[in-house]
Amino acid sequence: MAPAPVGLAEKLFWILAYSGCSSTMLVINKLAVGALPLPTVVSGAQLFVSAAVVVVLQMFGANVMGPMDRTRVVPFVLYTVMFAGGLFANMKALMLTNVGAVIAARSCLPVIVCIIEWAFMGRSLPSARSTLSLAGVVGFAGLYIRFDSGVDVNGTVGYVWLFIWWMLLALQMTYGKWMTEKIEMTQWERVFYTNAFAIPPTILLFFVTGEFSAVGDAEMGDGAWFWLIASCVMGVGISYSGWRTRSVITATTFTLVGVLNKMATIAFTVIVWPNDTTAASILALVFCILFGLLYQDAPKRKERPVIGGHKATMST
């Protein structure tokens, strides 16, 4: 039985909920690691609490989880590997490029995700309006980068790591959408698997980065416990709203929402703390966001009747 279609109001609600959690999470994480300078401890706490919340809900009879079996575990293990690989490639890219190069790559991401959805996930190509939207986002993001920091890449290796990170993120976005469509699970199950399977790599990073040796000398600043708890609460919120949003929109729209969240955060920062920011760069950010709002989900392609033993598709 096909799922009931999702209305525009519900889509907007979850997009705004996810965007709100994402923006708030950025600020709270900044305050949390400022008060407790142990990034993997902070992120590990968020992962543990998010997974534990689902276990507690199940223990108290909420019936939010089904049995753990291979059809669910294996896809999420692969998703976690992509996520961990993407984080590593992102760190390498940041070491060999500047922020402008990373923003440029991220701004172009919806384009490749859109092509992947068309080629492998049965989606139509974007309408003229949506194509204009994607072109506007890429174009005005490029103008912002030109006015602000430019693009600086340290040789061929820098481009290689930037491309690896870009492709891993694109695959993660489309694969995540595929899981919401093909694997029947509750949203809380997705929250549990995503966070629980990310804990072992985080523990590994805790030791590999040498952070474990700094635990004894780390000084907790004012409000450290408050910001740590707040980051854990927000971690639950962003995990749930992220998967819920992904389930009601296409992978391209979800990717575009992520880009617009980043641009909106940058715009807020440069307006409040202008420093050497020019009016042109602020306008570029604003127009980037406005063009992004024009985007509409590409519909699924309809299957044509079987002719001569072959099944064809046609766009809607």
Side-chain angles (χ1 to χ4, degrees):
M1 183 177 181
V6 179
L8 178 61
E10 184 178 355
K11 289 183 180 181
L12 287 175
F13 174 82
W14 286 112
I15 289 172
L16 291 173
Y18 172 66
S19 298
C21 287
S22 178
S23 301
T24 306
M25 186 74 162
L26 182 66
V27 176
I28 291 178
N29 275 347
K30 178 70 175 177
L31 293 169
V33 296
L36 181 63
L38 299 169
T40 58
V41 172
V42 174
S43 59
Q46 293 169 8
L47 296 171
F48 176 80
V49 170
S50 295
V53 163
V54 184
V55 174
V56 170
L57 287 173
Q58 182 69 16
M59 289 174 60
F60 280 86
N63 196 28
V64 295
M65 284 193 67
M68 294 182 69
D69 56 42
R70 185 174 178 274
T71 60
R72 300 180 179 199
V73 171
V74 173
F76 272 90
V77 168
L78 181 55
Y79 181 84
T80 303
V81 170
M82 287 185 191
F83 179 73
L87 284 179
F88 179 76
N90 181 241
M91 288 188 289
K92 293 290 289 186
L94 284 171
M95 289 171 59
L96 298 166
T97 67
N98 68 341
V99 175
V102 173
I103 293 175
R106 184 65 187 262
S107 301
C108 295
L109 192 64
V111 177
I112 186 64
V113 172
C114 168
I115 294 171
I116 293 173
E117 283 199 294
W118 167 75
F120 300 106
M121 301 178 70
R123 289 279 169 189
S124 300
L125 288 172
S127 63
R129 168 178 164 171
S130 295
T131 301
L132 176 64
S133 171
L134 293 177
V137 168
V138 173
F140 281 103
L143 283 177
Y144 165 73
I145 295 163
R146 180 182 176 187
F147 293 138
D148 187 66
S149 58
V151 174
D152 183 22
V153 180
N154 185 11
T156 304
V157 177
Y159 283 108
V160 169
W161 279 110
L162 198 62
F163 179 76
I164 291 173
W165 166 70
W166 189 65
M167 285 305 300
L168 282 173
L169 197 53
L171 291 173
Q172 183 188 331
M173 292 294 176
T174 49
Y175 185 68
K177 177 61 180 178
W178 176 85
M179 289 196 298
T180 66
E181 292 181 343
K182 302 300 182 182
I183 304 175
E184 291 189 13
M185 303 175 73
T186 68
Q187 301 300 338
W188 284 114
E189 281 181 295
R190 296 186 177 109
V191 170
F192 173 79
Y193 284 116
T194 305
N195 288 279
F197 291 170
I199 291 174
T202 303
I203 294 174
L204 181 63
L205 282 174
F206 176 70
F207 289 99
V208 170
T209 60
E211 194 171 301
F212 73 98
S213 61
V215 171
D217 299 325
E219 294 184 6
M220 297 184 70
D222 294 337
W225 280 109
F226 173 81
W227 293 118
L228 180 62
I229 293 171
S231 73
C232 291
V233 172
M234 194 54 60
V236 177
I238 198 171
S239 292
Y240 185 88
S241 63
W243 279 108
R244 191 70 182 91
T245 304
R246 180 175 263 153
S247 69
V248 299
I249 59 178
T250 66
T252 303
T253 305
F254 186 76
T255 307
L256 186 61
V257 168
V259 172
L260 297 185
N261 284 344
K262 295 289 187 298
M263 292 301 179
T265 302
I266 295 171
F268 175 79
T269 302
V270 299
I271 291 171
V272 176
W273 298 287
N275 293 327
D276 298 326
T277 303
T278 64
S281 63
I282 295 175
L283 280 174
L285 284 171
V286 171
F287 276 104
C288 179
I289 295 167
L290 291 176
F291 268 90
L293 297 177
L294 291 174
Y295 189 83
Q296 294 177 314
D297 279 348
K300 285 276 192 180
R301 295 197 298 271
K302 288 184 178 179
E303 290 189 350
R304 287 176 177 170
V306 177
I307 302 174
H310 297 282
K311 191 180 289 185
T313 61
M314 62 181 178
S315 298
T316 56

